[in-house]
Amino acid sequence: MAVLATHDLLAKVFVVWSLAFLILALLSAAYLISKRRADALARPIDSLVEAIQQLAAGRLHEDIPIASGDELGELIGSFNLLRASMQQTQEKLREANALLEQRVTERTTDLATLNQVLTYQIGVRNQTEIALRESEARLRAMTRAIPDLVFVVDEDGRYREILAAGQNRAAATIAPSHDLPVNPPPRAPDSRRRREAPDTEPKQATIGITPLRDRLLHEVYSTEMADFFYDIIRRALETQQIQIAEYELQTASGLRWFESRTAPLDVKFDNKAAAIVVAHDITKRKSGEAQLRQAQKMQAIGQLTGGIAHDFNNLLAVIMGNLELLHEQLTAQPRLHELAQQALKAVDRGTHLTRRLLAFSRHQPLLAQPTDLNKLALGMLELMRRTLGANIQINTLLDNDLLNTLVDPDQLESALLNLVINARDAMPNGGELTLETANILIEEDYATQQADMQAGLYVVLVVSDTGVGMTPQVLERAFEPFFTTKETGKGSGLGLSMVYGLVKQSGGHITIDSQPNQGTRVRLYLPTIERSVQALHEPHTVDVSLRGQGEIILVVEDDAEVRLFAVNALRGLGYDPLQAADAETALQVLATTPEIVLLFTDIIMPGQMDGVKLASEAQRRYPKLRVLYTSGYTEHALIGDGHQVEGVDVLLKPYRKADLGKKIRLLLS
Ligand SMILES: Nc1ncnc2c1ncn2[C@@H]1O[C@H](COP(=O)(O)OP(=O)(O)OP(=O)(O)O)[C@@H](O)[C@H]1O
Ligand SMILES: [Mg+2]
C-alpha cells in the first residue's frame, strides 16, 4: 500500500510536471507566435511612422510598400494616396512658386524701368516748375515795369484779368544830361516862374482801371465805346489775328489817346474764349504828330506866301520908285501930285502887308543883335500904355538876371506890339496885361515833343491878358496868315503869323495857352547868348540931314529896274552912285575905285556870291567900307552872326527914297 501510494504520487507529480511543461511550452509558443505577429505588425507601422516623419520633413518621394491586405495595408494605401496627393500639391506649389518668382522678377524689372521713367519725369517736372516760377517772376516784373494796361476780356465782353494797370508811380526818371552852360541860372525859384515853365515833367498815365475785374465792357463805358471795344474782341477771336486800334478815352487824368493790341488767347475762362489786350498810352505821340502836322502846314503856307510876297516886293519896289519920281515932278500940278500921293500910300500899305507875309514865311531879312528883352519891353511901355488905353492895367514881372537873346530888335518890338494890340482887342471892357521875362531851361523830353525845337537855355517873354480867350478851333488856326475873327477892316489876320515867323526864324519857339473867358497867355522862347556879349540895341535917335555930299556909293543889284531906281534915288539924295549887276563886277569896281565909302547891295543875287558873302569879302579887303544891305526876301535865317558888325545895316524892300537917305546918313555919320 505504501508502494502504491508512492507510485501514484510519482505519477501525479509527473503529470503535473508534464502539464506544467506543456503550459510553459504553449506559453512560449504563444509568446513567439505573438512576437512574430507583433513584429510583422510593427514593421509596416514603423515604415508608416518613418514615412510620416519623412512626410513631416517634406520628403514625399516614395510609397510605403503594402505588405498585407488587412486594415494596416489599407491604412498604408490611404497614406500612400495622401503622400502622392501631397507630393502633387507640393510640386504644383513649387511650380506656382517658380512662376511667382518669375513674375516677381519681371515685375521688379518693370518697376525699375518705371522708376527710372518716373525719376526722369520728376526731374523734368522740377525743371519745368523752376522755369515756370522764373517765367512767372519775369512776367510779373515785366507787367510791373511796362506802363501799359494789360487785361483779358472774354467773348461776352467781360473783364477776366487785369495783368497790368498801366501805372508805375514808384518809377524813377533819369533824364539825359544836356550840353548846357557850366553855370546855368537857377530854374524858376519862385512859384510864379515855376508856373511859367513848360510842363517838362513826364506825365504818368493815370487810368481809372480800379475794379474792372468781372465787369462787362458795357457797364464800364458808354454804349458807343463799349461796342467799339467789343467789336475788336470779337474780330480778334473770329480771325485769330492781332487787332490794332487807336482811340481816345476819358481817364482820371483827362482825355488820352491809346493804341491797343488785342490778341486771341489759347486759355478759356469758364469755357469762354478770351483775348488779351495791351493798351499803350500814345497821347504824347499823338500831340507830337498833331504839332508836326501843324508845323508842316505852317511851313507849306509859309512857302506859298513867301513866294508871293517876294514877287510882290520887287513889283512894289519898282512901282514905288517910279511913283516917287512922278510925285517929285508933279509938284506943279496939285491934282496929279495928290493922285501920286494916294498911289504911294497904297504902295505903303502893300509894302506893310508883304513884310508881314515875309515875316511869317521866315524870309524877312532879319538883322539879329544881342538884345536885352527887359530893356526892349520897358522901352515900349509908353507906347503900350497909349495903345491899351486907361482901362487896361499893365503889370511887369521882369527877371533881373535875364540873359541876352539874339534877335532883330525892331522886328521883336513890332511883334510885341502885335501881341499887345491883340490883348487890347480881347479886353474891350478893360482888364490886365502882364509882361513877364525869365530864363528857362528846356529839357530834351519837352523839346522832342515839339516840332522844330532844340533843348537848351532860353529866355521867355510872356504876354498874358485877362481877355475873352480863344476857343480850341480859333486857337488851332490863330497862327495862320489871314485867319482872323475880327470884322473886315479891323484885322488882317497877319499879326500872330508875323510873330510866329519871327520867333521861328530867330531859332525860338512860341506857344499860346488860351480858353474862352480865361484869358490868353503867349510865350515867346528865344535862344540865349552869353551875358558877356553886350546888348547893342539902342533906339535910333540920331537926327541927321538926309542929303549926301557927293560920296561915292556902289549899288549892287541884279534887277535892272530896281538898280535904276536906287541909282536915281541916290543921285537925287546928293550921292555919286556907281553900279554893278553882280558880286564879281562889284569887286572889280571896288578894286579900281578906292574912294567908294559905302556898298549898297542886295542880299540875294545870282552866282557864287550873294550879298552877304560879297560884303564880308569887300570889308575884308577894305575894312573902312560901310555896308547897307537891301532885300525883300532872304534865304538866311539871320543876317550877321550875332556879333553885329559895325557899319552894317539892312533896308527892307520896297523902300522910300527918304528911308534910303536916312539909313545911309546913319551909316556914314
Ligand atoms: N489875346 C488874344 N485873345 C483872344 N483872341 C486872340 C488873341 N490874340 C489873337 N486872337 C485870335 O486870333 C486871331 C488871329 O490873330 P492875329 O493877330 O493873327 O490876327 P488879327 O488880330 O485878327 O489881325 P491883325 O493882327 O492882322 O490885325 C484873332 O482874330 C483872334 O481871334
Ligand atoms: Mg492881331
Side-chain angles (χ1 to χ4, degrees):
M1 268 279 266
V3 171
L4 229 97
T6 314
H7 193 280
D8 264 349
L9 193 54
L10 279 171
K12 277 181 183 170
V13 170
F14 180 73
V15 170
V16 167
W17 275 101
S18 294
L19 268 171
F21 186 76
L22 188 72
I23 287 165
L24 204 68
L26 276 170
L27 277 171
S28 295
Y31 167 75
L32 281 173
I33 287 164
S34 64
K35 187 168 177 334
R36 266 188 64 189
R37 188 110 176 120
D39 280 353
L41 208 68
R43 221 175 298 126
I45 287 174
D46 279 348
S47 299
L48 196 65
V49 169
E50 197 184 337
I52 286 171
Q53 279 168 350
Q54 295 265 9
L55 195 70
R59 290 187 287 273
L60 305 166
H61 307 295
E62 283 165 33
D63 278 349
I64 305 169
I66 300 169
S68 58
D70 54 6
E71 290 90 344
L72 194 65
E74 252 176 58
L75 183 69
I76 287 173
S78 300
F79 175 82
N80 280 344
L81 276 176
L82 176 71
R83 182 207 60 85
S85 143
M86 273 178 80
Q87 191 179 16
Q88 257 180 10
T89 311
Q90 197 184 41
E91 253 152 38
K92 275 188 191 153
L93 213 65
R94 210 176 283 127
E95 271 170 26
N97 209 21
L99 195 70
L100 198 71
E101 256 170 35
Q102 190 195 344
R103 290 230 177 115
V104 166
T105 316
E106 277 172 15
R107 216 39 205 268
T108 310
T109 319
D110 281 356
L111 276 175
T113 316
L114 197 69
N115 193 31
Q116 265 180 352
V117 171
L118 274 177
T119 312
Y120 173 75
Q121 280 178 349
I122 287 170
V124 170
R125 202 195 167 108
N126 280 348
Q127 277 178 352
T128 313
E129 263 175 21
I130 291 171
L132 199 70
R133 261 203 302 279
E134 284 175 359
S135 148
E136 267 177 8
R138 271 200 294 275
L139 195 72
R140 256 201 314 278
M142 209 167 80
T143 45
R144 250 202 3 244
I146 55 169
D148 299 352
L149 288 135
V150 185
F151 48 86
V152 175
V153 180
D154 71 15
E155 62 188 18
D156 291 345
R158 188 181 294 284
Y159 282 97
R160 288 300 190 148
E161 270 181 15
I162 311 296
L163 297 167
Q167 288 170 330
N168 198 359
R169 295 197 173 282
T173 311
I174 299 169
S177 56
H178 312 301
D179 281 337
L180 286 171
V182 187
N183 286 317
R187 195 149 51 115
D190 58 71
S191 62
R192 167 179 71 80
R193 286 194 221 143
R194 211 169 302 123
R195 186 163 47 86
E196 291 315 321
D199 189 4
T200 53
E201 302 296 318
K203 278 199 190 104
Q204 294 290 345
T206 50
I207 291 103
I209 191 111
T210 20
L212 283 183
R213 212 192 160 111
D214 292 332
R215 292 180 68 190
L216 284 167
L217 287 169
H218 282 85
E219 293 168 1
V220 181
Y221 301 107
S222 68
T223 314
E224 190 193 0
M225 225 42 222
D227 284 350
F228 172 74
F229 290 139
Y230 184 70
D231 197 45
I232 297 171
I233 304 286
R234 194 185 45 76
R235 255 184 296 152
L237 294 176
E238 265 174 28
T239 59
Q240 288 293 300
Q241 271 179 352
I242 296 175
Q243 304 289 318
I244 302 175
E246 272 187 16
Y247 50 88
E248 210 177 10
L249 204 61
Q250 189 66 48
T251 71
S253 56
L255 263 184
R256 299 196 76 83
W257 274 97
F258 291 93
E259 183 191 82
S260 73
R261 286 166 175 265
T262 306
L265 261 182
D266 291 338
V267 190
K268 291 208 168 186
F269 289 77
D270 297 335
N271 236 357
K272 301 223 186 275
I276 188 162
V277 185
V278 180
H280 183 58
D281 187 329
I282 54 163
T283 314
K284 262 190 194 176
R285 194 186 84 198
K286 274 280 171 188
S287 78
E289 281 170 5
Q291 294 213 14
L292 191 68
R293 260 200 313 279
Q294 178 74 2
Q296 281 168 345
K297 186 179 84 181
M298 298 296 266
Q299 208 158 4
I301 305 175
Q303 268 166 7
L304 196 73
T305 49
I308 295 169
H310 173 237
D311 292 349
F312 261 81
N313 255 348
N314 280 342
L315 292 176
L316 284 170
V318 178
I319 296 171
M320 184 183 271
N322 291 321
L323 268 177
E324 277 210 313
L325 288 178
L326 271 179
H327 186 249
E328 274 172 19
Q329 284 165 25
L330 287 173
T331 37
Q333 292 167 282
R335 172 90 188 101
L336 294 179
H337 190 257
E338 172 61 22
L339 287 179
Q341 177 77 27
Q342 295 290 333
L344 268 173
K345 272 193 190 153
V347 173
D348 273 345
R349 280 208 299 281
T351 306
H352 191 62
L353 203 76
T354 50
R355 279 214 183 126
R356 292 173 104 186
L357 283 179
L358 276 175
F360 169 69
S361 65
R362 308 181 208 176
H363 287 304
Q364 148 186 251
L366 288 181
L367 198 66
Q369 295 176 28
T371 304
D372 180 343
L373 287 191
N374 285 349
K375 258 196 205 169
L376 186 136
L378 290 173
M380 289 181 69
L381 270 186
E382 201 35 55
L383 178 63
M384 291 186 203
R385 280 211 182 93
R386 270 187 278 127
T387 311
L388 292 170
N391 276 348
I392 296 171
Q393 190 194 321
I394 304 179
N395 306 316
T396 51
L397 294 164
L398 307 179
D399 186 339
N400 290 330
D401 293 326
L402 196 71
L403 293 169
N404 283 338
T405 178
L406 192 61
V407 72
D408 184 325
D410 294 336
Q411 294 303 316
L412 192 67
E413 277 183 358
S414 145
L416 191 51
L417 196 62
N418 272 315
L419 295 179
V420 169
I421 292 171
N422 281 350
R424 180 200 65 194
D425 295 348
M427 298 186 285
N429 303 317
E432 284 183 33
L433 175 110
T434 309
L435 288 176
E436 298 181 59
T437 56
N439 297 315
I440 187 164
L441 183 66
I442 300 290
E443 286 173 0
E444 202 76 49
D445 194 52
Y446 178 79
T448 46
Q449 283 174 50
Q450 313 299 316
D452 214 9
M453 190 183 197
Q454 310 281 315
L457 201 53
Y458 286 77
V459 290
V460 61
L461 171 65
V462 190
V463 182
S464 30
D465 63 56
T466 54
V468 295
M470 295 181 230
T471 60
Q473 293 75 20
V474 171
L475 187 59
E476 202 188 314
R477 301 189 58 194
F479 289 132
E480 277 178 30
F482 302 113
F483 175 80
T484 180
T485 57
K486 296 172 187 169
E487 53 192 82
T488 329
K490 275 217 161 170
S492 61
L494 287 174
L496 280 179
S497 38
M498 174 261 164
V499 181
Y500 175 89
L502 172 70
V503 171
K504 287 286 179 191
Q505 197 177 344
S506 306
H509 184 65
I510 181 167
T511 64
I512 308 183
D513 286 316
S514 186
Q515 272 176 16
N517 302 318
Q518 301 286 310
T520 298
R521 172 172 283 137
V522 184
R523 292 180 175 89
L524 312 186
Y525 298 92
L526 293 163
T528 53
I529 44 171
E530 301 277 327
R531 212 187 294 263
S532 59
V533 182
Q534 275 296 309
L536 292 175
H537 176 62
E538 296 294 342
H540 303 301
T541 49
V542 198
D543 190 21
V544 284
S545 128
L546 303 184
R547 301 230 24 109
Q549 270 103 46
E551 292 96 334
I552 303 178
I553 291 174
L554 175 58
V555 178
V556 191
E557 166 71 62
D558 61 307
D559 186 319
E561 284 180 79
V562 179
R563 193 168 64 236
L564 186 66
F565 160 66
V567 166
N568 283 338
L570 283 171
R571 205 165 280 141
L573 286 165
Y575 296 99
D576 184 3
L578 296 176
Q579 48 180 304
D582 56 56
E584 286 73 25
T585 320
L587 286 174
Q588 283 166 17
V589 177
L590 279 167
T592 53
T593 322
E595 299 82 18
I596 295 174
V597 290
L598 189 140
L599 173 70
F600 178 40
T601 178
D602 193 9
I603 290 173
I604 297 188
M605 280 193 300
Q608 293 289 312
M609 241 186 203
D610 63 7
V612 178
K613 282 193 190 135
L614 166 65
S616 74
E617 177 57 24
Q619 281 199 317
R620 195 184 60 77
R621 294 186 193 176
Y622 315 101
K624 283 194 176 156
L625 186 73
R626 306 280 151 147
V627 175
L628 176 60
Y629 291 116
T630 179
S631 185
Y633 181 95
T634 177
E635 298 289 346
H636 298 261
L638 301 172
I639 299 162
D641 53 4
H643 301 81
Q644 194 200 29
V645 189
E646 226 191 305
V648 177
D649 210 336
V650 157
L651 182 65
L652 297 185
K653 274 190 207 169
Y655 48 84
R656 291 278 196 118
K657 196 165 116 186
D659 299 331
L660 178 62
K662 263 190 235 166
K663 283 274 182 198
I664 289 183
R665 267 296 20 112
L666 263 173
L667 281 167
L668 292 182
S669 59

